[in-house]
Amino acid sequence: MIEHAHTNNSTLALARTVLSREAEALTNLADRLGDTFLKAVQCLLNCKGRVVVSGVGKSGHIGCKLAATLASTGTPAFFVHAGEAAHGDLGMITKDDVVIAISNSGTTNELLTIVPVIKREGTPLIAMTSAPDSALAKYADIHLDVGVRQEACPLGLAPTTSTTATLALGDALAVACLQAKGFTSNDFARSHPGGALGRRLLIHVSDVMRTGEKVPSVLNTVSVLDAVREITLKRIGMTAIVDKDNCVQGIFTEGDLRRLIERMGDIRQVCIADVMTPSPKTIAKTALAAEAAHILDRSLCNQLLVVDEANHLIGALHIHDLMTAKVL
């Protein structure tokens, strides 16, 4: 039992060492940033084509992630495996592109095979290596040094700290370009329509609201019983109260009905205008569905009326409509 506890302690100590070494490496990398990084950012901003990221092995995996991050933050990019590039995929790269070649050693054969072709094409080359004196670094128009003092692997062999540093520097490039281009959360949502952020920023009230005959409404001159019939018919737990011009005057919910019966007992002769909730919460159809969700949450209710600029009733929302659209 004591031996098991000792093993757990050793494991935690090693894990903390890994994280500390990688954190230290990122801090050192941040301190080294300077003009070369700025040149790389400007090169990406000046790109008229696409950013092509290439590498093999672990560097290739990092390259895939960098290309995906660039593409989703406003810098069109894709990944090409260096080995595949040497066997035909090099045709994907044009002089209008920018190539980012990733190799920890800077001596990866697959990359060095395609570099001369890239250079002859006139395509700008950014290299990310840990070896400023390597062949790849010397070929490059811009070299970004991602060197680290030591790998987090206790054997000093598995790419750990070095890949983390490369990944983080790639993120720094992408975010710097994002800011320079004025990329916004709405832009991000357009490239992520299937995600939660996309739904929050792209779905409007008009996309999910109930319209036409599905909207419960009664005139402000009818009885409470008439309003109850409309609530029962439309089945969203409330009805809007409107005047003869279809302008919203109030709302009456199932909760209001229960409280009214408790208070008055016999409600058959009661006019709805006397017991409705006046000036109810409303929203425009052009508002984001996320805003409607916020209003419902803040007001602790389940329904919301949709009106136009003149306060005419044009739709209704139930919290279930937002849940169905996965806004909530």
Side-chain angles (χ1 to χ4, degrees), residues 120-136:
R120 282 198 299 271
E121 187 71 22
T123 305
L125 175 63
I126 299 172
M128 299 175 68
T129 83
S130 296
D133 295 327
S134 65
L136 182 59

Side-chain angles (χ1 to χ4, degrees), residues 8-23 152:
N8 285 343
N9 289 337
S10 299
T11 299
L12 287 174
L14 177 59
R16 292 186 179 109
T17 298
V18 170
L19 295 176
S20 296
R21 286 181 180 175
E22 297 201 358

Side-chain angles (χ1 to χ4, degrees), residues 83-208:
E84 298 296 333
H87 294 277
D89 285 359
L90 201 57
M92 298 179 181
I93 305 173
T94 73
K95 60 182 177 57
D96 292 327
D97 299 327
V98 171
V99 173
I100 299 179
I102 304 175
S103 169
N104 187 45
S105 67
T107 60
T108 304
N109 289 331
E110 291 89 341
L111 282 172
L112 294 179
T113 298
I114 65 174
V115 162
V117 181
I118 294 171
K119 298 295 289 184
R120 282 198 299 271
E121 187 71 22
T123 305
L125 175 63
I126 299 172
M128 299 175 68
T129 83
S130 296
D133 295 327
S134 65
L136 182 59
K138 292 178 179 178
Y139 277 129
D141 299 290
I142 301 169
H143 174 250
L144 296 175
D145 183 2
V146 291
V148 297
R149 293 175 183 172
Q150 59 181 335
E151 297 287 5
C153 167
L155 302 176
L157 298 175
T160 45
T161 310
S162 59
T163 49
T164 298
T166 306
L167 178 66
L169 187 59
D171 286 344
L173 283 172
V175 172
C177 290
L178 173 154
Q179 184 181 55
K181 292 181 175 183
F183 194 79
T184 67
S185 56
N186 284 333
D187 296 320
F188 188 85
R190 277 191 286 273
S191 61
H192 296 75
L197 176 64
R199 288 191 292 273
R200 289 198 301 272
L201 294 179
L202 294 178
I203 296 180
H204 291 80
V205 169
S206 58
D207 298 319
V208 294

Side-chain angles (χ1 to χ4, degrees), residues 12-327:
L12 287 174
L14 177 59
R16 292 186 179 109
T17 298
V18 170
L19 295 176
S20 296
R21 286 181 180 175
E22 297 201 358
E24 180 184 6
L26 295 184
T27 299
N28 292 336
L29 182 60
D31 292 339
R32 296 203 310 266
L33 290 184
D35 291 341
T36 303
F37 179 81
L38 294 177
K39 290 178 181 177
V41 172
Q42 193 58 52
C43 182
L44 296 179
L45 293 174
N46 292 339
C47 180
K48 295 179 180 179
R50 281 166 169 66
V51 177
V52 184
V53 187
S54 189
V56 297
K58 301 297 187 297
S59 294
H61 295 311
I62 298 299
C64 284
K65 196 276 181 182
L66 173 54
T69 300
L70 286 167
S72 68
T73 53
T75 301
F78 62 92
F79 176 80
V80 174
H81 190 281
E84 298 296 333
H87 294 277
D89 285 359
L90 201 57
M92 298 179 181
I93 305 173
T94 73
K95 60 182 177 57
D96 292 327
D97 299 327
V98 171
V99 173
I100 299 179
I102 304 175
S103 169
N104 187 45
S105 67
T107 60
T108 304
N109 289 331
E110 291 89 341
L111 282 172
L112 294 179
T113 298
I114 65 174
V115 162
V117 181
I118 294 171
K119 298 295 289 184
R120 282 198 299 271
E121 187 71 22
T123 305
L125 175 63
I126 299 172
M128 299 175 68
T129 83
S130 296
D133 295 327
S134 65
L136 182 59
K138 292 178 179 178
Y139 277 129
D141 299 290
I142 301 169
H143 174 250
L144 296 175
D145 183 2
V146 291
V148 297
R149 293 175 183 172
Q150 59 181 335
E151 297 287 5
C153 167
L155 302 176
L157 298 175
T160 45
T161 310
S162 59
T163 49
T164 298
T166 306
L167 178 66
L169 187 59
D171 286 344
L173 283 172
V175 172
C177 290
L178 173 154
Q179 184 181 55
K181 292 181 175 183
F183 194 79
T184 67
S185 56
N186 284 333
D187 296 320
F188 188 85
R190 277 191 286 273
S191 61
H192 296 75
L197 176 64
R199 288 191 292 273
R200 289 198 301 272
L201 294 179
L202 294 178
I203 296 180
H204 291 80
V205 169
S206 58
D207 298 319
V208 294
M209 71 182 191
R210 303 176 188 220
T211 60
E213 292 299 319
K214 295 181 180 180
V215 180
S217 69
V218 295
L219 288 171
N220 55 0
T221 56
V222 306
S223 70
V224 169
L225 290 183
D226 289 327
V228 171
R229 293 187 187 97
E230 182 72 354
I231 292 173
T232 303
L233 180 64
K234 301 301 171 64
R235 305 177 70 173
I236 63 171
M238 67 86 187
T239 183
I241 315 301
V242 299
D243 62 16
K244 59 183 178 59
D245 296 319
N246 200 40
C247 288
V248 172
Q249 302 297 300
I251 192 172
F252 190 73
T253 69
E254 290 178 339
D256 294 330
L257 174 62
R258 287 193 295 271
R259 288 184 289 272
L260 181 63
I261 292 174
E262 289 176 358
R263 188 173 76 250
M264 299 186 63
D266 188 353
I267 61 172
R268 288 175 294 179
Q269 304 304 316
V270 178
C271 178
I272 193 64
D274 296 330
V275 293
M276 69 182 183
T277 300
S279 304
K281 299 287 185 182
T282 61
I283 195 168
K285 70 175 184 179
T286 54
L288 290 172
E291 182 183 344
H294 177 68
I295 293 173
L296 290 176
D297 180 64
R298 187 177 57 197
S299 58
L300 300 178
C301 59
N302 294 327
Q303 306 94 350
L304 194 58
L305 302 180
V306 185
V307 298
D308 63 13
E309 297 84 353
N311 202 40
H312 294 120
L313 180 68
I314 58 174
L317 267 179
H318 191 278
I319 193 169
H320 289 163
D321 301 326
L322 299 175
M323 294 174 67
T324 301
K326 297 183 179 179
V327 175

